[in-house]
Amino acid sequence: MPLHPLGDKPLTFPGPNSAMENGLDHSTPLSPSSLRSAAHSPLDTSKQPLCQPWAEKRGARGTHEVRYVSAGQSVACGWWAFAPPCLQVLNTPKGILFFLCVAAFLQGMTVNGFINTVITSLERRYDLHSYQSGLIASSYDIAACLCLTFVSYFGGSGHKPRWLGWGVLVMGTGSLVFALPHFTAGRYEVEADTGVRTCPANPSVACADRTSGLYRYQLVFMLGQFLHGMGATPLYTLGVTYLDENVKSSYSPVYIAIFYTAAILGPAAGYLIGGALLNIYTEVGRRTELTTESPLWVGAWWVGFLGSGAAAFFTAVPILGYPRQLPGSQRYAVMRAAEMHQLKDGSHGKASNPDFGKTIRDLPLSIWLLLKNPTFILLCLAGATEATLITGMSTFSPKFLESQFSLSASEAATLFGYLVVPAGGGGTFLGGFFVNKLRLRGSAVIKFCLFCTVVSLLGILVFSLHCPGVPMAGVTASYSRSLLPEGHLNLTAPCNTACGCQPEHYSPVCGSDGLMYFSLCHAGCPAATEMNVDGQKVYRDCSCIPQNVSSGFGHATAGKCTSTCQRKPLLLVFIFVVIFFTFLSSIPALTATLRCVRDPQRSFALGIQWIVVRILGGIPGPIAFGWVIDKACLLWQDQCGQQGSCLVYQNSAMSHYILIMGLLYKVLGVLFFATACCLYKPLSESSDGLEACLPSQSSAPGSATDSQLQSSI
């Protein structure tokens, strides 16, 4: 609730019974004399003095800190005049939490799941380059940064459920726009694959002119992502504050933790569902000779976006029906007031006015008040460092696992998913649970964040270890199995000179001699194949692979050689620890942000924090990690004379670069949290006395007790 100085005006408090009648919230003005007389009447608790002993103890300054007012708004759930009684069973914190969790789940599944899954398919289908697909992915963050200030500032003082509902509708529209090119670009018609590149190689068609106008659909994909960013902006600013202001402050971290856990589980579902849909041909119902292993295969990437778009429309309808405030929410405003950060001057008085933040004229003062709040600034910077690590490592951890353990891309992504779901989801939920269970307040919440950051900092040290890379002929080892100096690459040898191998056709195989080869052609394998007991294709009589038992040539198996790294369990355990403790501090840090600013500024403060986190962490994080990981590349893809993506990495260098980046940002996070803890000054010394003198409903006839109210929350 908005807070402003009391002055000589009468104190008002909403009656709990009247608040539940007819969906209206009424207030009764209380004069000093009525406050004294009400103390002898146990039947009407709304007329009991509000924190009078505490105010007398604190003096004049304490009485001017909190204004408890009535919203005078309908608290019934419905749409305009249509508010049937049967809907009021959903008009609870649990009800709105459910629908917000569904919306967050859909956002995570679409933006962080489906998008990352279908990028490769979009590049194949619409002739996009990597930088173009990267721009498509970045359009989401660009839209969010542009909209955050406007949405968080005006939405914070407006009708939050309506902002949230319309945001989910815009997000659903973005999903439908993203799927639109499938229906307007015509059918996908390609010839069957020319076959595996064996020795002798078929004539190369990699550099043939395949220019088309399909790349222009990049703009449509960017528009869809832009709408995704616009629609999701209210979700993580207004949605969080709406939950926080409608439940008791001790329960708020649990609600927010559940909300963010749903957002984290969304991408996991997006990877699973998106991966399954990519096994279906993009032209659903048509037969094709292509297989899923073919480089020309395009799966049904668009089906997921149609489903998420439709689900978003159905989710937005109930959210639009929620009131500005849930029944009984006003009594929690005083509890939150005691935890706000104390400013040195009196400028907070203007921010306590209930009309503050409703016009553009208050925007400069809002920004100035946040800039003068050192705790808020330091929490924003700490969030930026954590976001850099989360976005950077979530983008490249599958690549790290793929290189260290010699896995395929799908195996590495699946393994990383198994780590992220319990570590990220469990850490997020337990972070809110611990804040509630341990009853952490004020600086104690920041100390908890500091503890989690220190533990994850120690876990980062595991990246000083690495797995030895599988030797690759012509890259790390010569064809005679001797080690090659770094930088001395030569994929051609006398054994494969007559094969006419092309550098564009990378398809690694594992030789019976323990070496990995660039392709079947580079291993000198003919086209004849057979299947082994594991169902893998085996190629015999490869001229570059010596026979171990008798004269003749060895054989090769399709795919990479299996890694025999003994450090794999240790690496996985510590990566799990780093992910867990990083996400364990996310909800406490968010709770600390909500508590260190005043009620009218909380939505705007979250918006500003999201801007700082995205600009300083979310956007540059993948770029910074990608840049240092590219430094560990040993072999680059050759795309018709132009450098493509990296094919082979040096495992030791990759681990050391990630270690340096992790230590740098974790140390910064420790410094920011430690300084924020030292500079934090609560508005009051304790909130216990304030909560103790809140009016109890136990004495009112027909009203629920405080314990019953808490259990209903």
Side-chain angles (χ1 to χ4, degrees):
M1 281 295 297
L3 308 173
H4 63 81
L6 288 171
D8 297 327
K9 298 180 180 180
L11 183 67
T12 62
F13 186 81
N17 294 336
S18 61
M20 298 301 294
E21 294 177 0
N22 302 325
L24 297 176
D25 187 10
H26 304 285
S27 297
T28 304
L30 302 180
S31 63
S33 60
S34 65
L35 284 173
R36 290 191 295 271
S37 62
H40 303 284
S41 176
L43 298 179
D44 189 0
T45 58
S46 64
K47 297 180 181 179
Q48 293 180 4
L50 180 61
C51 304
Q52 185 178 8
W54 183 80
E56 293 176 354
K57 181 180 178 180
R58 295 286 297 172
R61 186 182 66 85
T63 61
H64 284 266
E65 294 295 340
V66 176
R67 166 78 180 200
Y68 206 71
V69 298
S70 171
Q73 301 284 340
S74 173
V75 293
C77 182
W79 302 271
W80 292 279
F82 181 72
C86 61
L87 289 180
Q88 306 315 310
V89 68
L90 300 175
N91 198 18
T92 63
K94 289 182 179 179
I96 187 61
L97 175 65
F98 171 77
F99 291 111
L100 290 181
C101 284
V102 174
F105 180 86
L106 292 175
Q107 182 272 337
M109 181 176 65
T110 304
V111 176
N112 300 320
F114 289 156
I115 297 293
N116 295 338
T117 304
V118 306
I119 282 294
T120 303
S121 298
L122 296 182
E123 291 177 355
R124 293 176 182 174
R125 176 67 177 89
Y126 299 98
D127 296 336
L128 300 178
H129 295 289
S130 296
Y131 75 90
Q132 292 173 313
S133 59
L135 188 57
I136 292 172
S138 299
S139 298
Y140 174 86
D141 290 319
I142 295 173
C145 290
L146 293 177
C147 298
L148 272 169
T149 302
F150 174 82
V151 171
S152 60
Y153 182 75
F154 291 102
S157 59
H159 197 294
K160 292 184 179 67
R162 292 179 185 172
W163 282 82
L164 289 165
W166 283 108
V168 176
L169 285 176
V170 172
M171 188 172 65
T173 304
S175 296
L176 299 181
V177 170
F178 203 94
L180 185 62
H182 171 76
F183 302 96
T184 59
R187 291 182 175 180
Y188 180 60
E189 297 179 354
V190 293
E191 297 180 358
D193 194 6
T194 55
V196 182
R197 306 294 178 174
T198 54
C199 179
N202 294 326
S204 175
V205 295
C207 299
D209 185 12
R210 298 178 55 196
T211 303
S212 68
L214 294 177
Y215 67 91
R216 296 187 180 92
Y217 279 103
Q218 171 198 359
L219 300 177
V220 179
F221 295 129
M222 291 178 61
L223 175 61
Q225 275 287 74
F226 199 89
L227 293 176
H228 284 151
M230 290 178 58
T233 298
L235 199 58
Y236 296 102
T237 52
L238 306 182
V240 172
T241 54
Y242 188 73
L243 287 174
D244 182 67
E245 66 193 17
N246 284 285
V247 298
K248 189 177 179 180
S249 59
S250 60
Y251 287 90
S252 174
V254 177
Y255 275 73
I256 297 175
I258 296 174
F259 172 72
Y260 272 90
T261 301
I264 292 175
L265 295 179
Y271 277 106
L272 294 176
I273 298 175
L277 291 175
L278 291 183
N279 290 326
I280 304 173
Y281 189 55
T282 184
E283 302 294 341
V284 178
R286 295 191 62 193
R287 299 178 61 89
T288 179
E289 297 180 3
L290 297 176
T291 62
T292 55
E293 290 80 15
S294 171
L296 300 177
W297 174 270
V298 175
W301 61 269
W302 50 274
V303 176
F305 293 97
L306 288 182
S308 62
F313 277 92
F314 284 108
T315 306
V317 174
I319 295 178
L320 287 169
Y322 276 88
R324 183 186 293 264
Q325 288 180 318
L326 296 180
S329 63
Q330 296 186 26
R331 66 189 305 267
Y332 304 126
V334 181
M335 299 181 185
R336 297 191 300 268
E339 298 182 68
M340 298 174 188
H341 179 81
Q342 179 180 358
L343 298 177
K344 295 182 179 180
D345 57 16
S347 58
H348 61 269
K350 296 181 180 179
S352 300
N353 192 295
D355 294 327
F356 180 78
K358 294 185 178 180
T359 63
I360 195 66
R361 292 177 297 178
D362 297 329
L363 180 60
L365 179 58
S366 296
I367 298 177
W368 175 243
L369 291 176
L370 292 178
L371 292 177
K372 291 187 354 181
N373 190 331
T375 304
F376 172 75
I377 297 298
L378 290 167
L379 288 176
C380 289
L381 295 177
T385 60
E386 295 294 286
T388 304
L389 287 175
I390 291 174
T391 57
M393 296 190 69
S394 62
T395 303
F396 295 102
S397 286
K399 186 182 292 291
F400 173 82
L401 299 178
E402 179 182 350
S403 177
Q404 295 290 324
F405 306 142
S406 188
L407 302 174
S408 66
S410 60
E411 291 172 336
T414 302
L415 178 60
F416 185 66
Y418 288 148
L419 290 175
V420 168
V421 171
T428 301
F429 176 78
L430 290 178
F433 174 80
F434 286 149
V435 172
N436 170 259
K437 196 68 175 179
L438 302 177
R439 298 186 178 274
L440 302 180
R441 297 290 185 272
S443 61
V445 180
I446 306 178
K447 291 178 182 178
F448 183 83
C449 298
L450 178 61
F451 167 76
C452 295
T453 308
V454 171
V455 175
S456 58
L457 169 64
L458 298 177
I460 286 286
L461 296 176
V462 75
F463 288 103
S464 60
L465 306 176
H466 67 276
C467 290
V470 177
M472 186 172 185
V475 181
T476 60
S478 66
Y479 281 84
S480 60
R481 305 194 65 177
S482 61
L483 293 179
L484 283 177
E486 184 177 348
H488 292 70
L489 305 178
N490 187 10
L491 295 175
T492 304
C495 60
N496 61 22
T497 302
C499 295
C501 304
Q502 301 296 328
E504 294 85 10
H505 304 142
Y506 176 69
S507 181
V509 294
C510 183
S512 57
D513 58 347
L515 284 180
M516 193 163 62
Y517 294 86
F518 189 88
S519 69
L520 289 171
C521 181
H522 290 81
C525 301
T529 64
E530 62 183 52
M531 304 295 291
N532 62 9
V533 293
D534 296 327
Q536 293 178 309
K537 293 183 178 181
V538 178
Y539 297 82
R540 301 286 182 183
D541 299 326
C542 301
S543 59
C544 292
I545 304 176
Q547 179 61 267
N548 296 331
V549 180
S550 60
S551 61
F553 300 118
H555 64 273
T557 306
K560 297 180 180 179
C561 295
T562 303
S563 174
T564 58
C565 181
Q566 302 297 323
R567 297 170 177 172
K568 180 177 179 180
L570 182 64
L571 283 169
L572 293 178
V573 168
F574 275 87
I575 291 175
F576 181 92
V577 170
V578 172
I579 298 174
F580 177 81
F581 279 94
T582 298
F583 281 90
L584 187 65
S585 65
S586 58
I587 299 302
L590 182 63
T591 304
T593 301
L594 293 172
R595 295 293 173 265
C596 73
V597 297
R598 294 187 168 272
D599 263 22
Q601 285 193 294
R602 288 184 306 144
S603 296
F604 184 61
L606 282 186
I608 296 298
Q609 187 179 59
W610 271 101
I611 293 176
V612 174
V613 167
R614 289 180 184 277
I615 293 179
L616 299 183
I619 295 176
I623 299 175
F625 271 82
W627 181 76
V628 298
I629 287 179
D630 280 343
K631 297 294 182 181
C633 184
L634 291 176
L635 178 63
W636 292 92
Q637 184 182 18
D638 187 348
Q639 294 181 333
C640 304
Q642 296 182 354
Q643 181 176 292
S645 59
C646 184
L647 300 177
V648 180
Y649 291 93
Q650 185 179 9
N651 288 350
S652 59
M654 178 184 285
S655 295
H656 293 158
Y657 287 140
I658 292 180
L659 173 65
I660 293 173
M661 294 291 291
L663 289 177
L664 173 63
Y665 284 100
K666 281 296 182 182
V667 168
L668 288 176
V670 169
L671 294 177
F672 290 142
F673 278 126
T675 310
C677 185
C678 295
L679 297 180
Y680 176 79
K681 294 182 180 180
L683 192 63
S684 62
E685 297 177 355
S686 174
S687 63
D688 296 336
L690 184 61
E691 295 184 19
C693 66
L694 282 174
S696 173
Q697 299 181 1
S698 59
S699 58
S703 63
T705 63
D706 186 63
S707 60
Q708 290 173 336
L709 177 64
Q710 294 179 10
S711 64
S712 67
I713 296 176

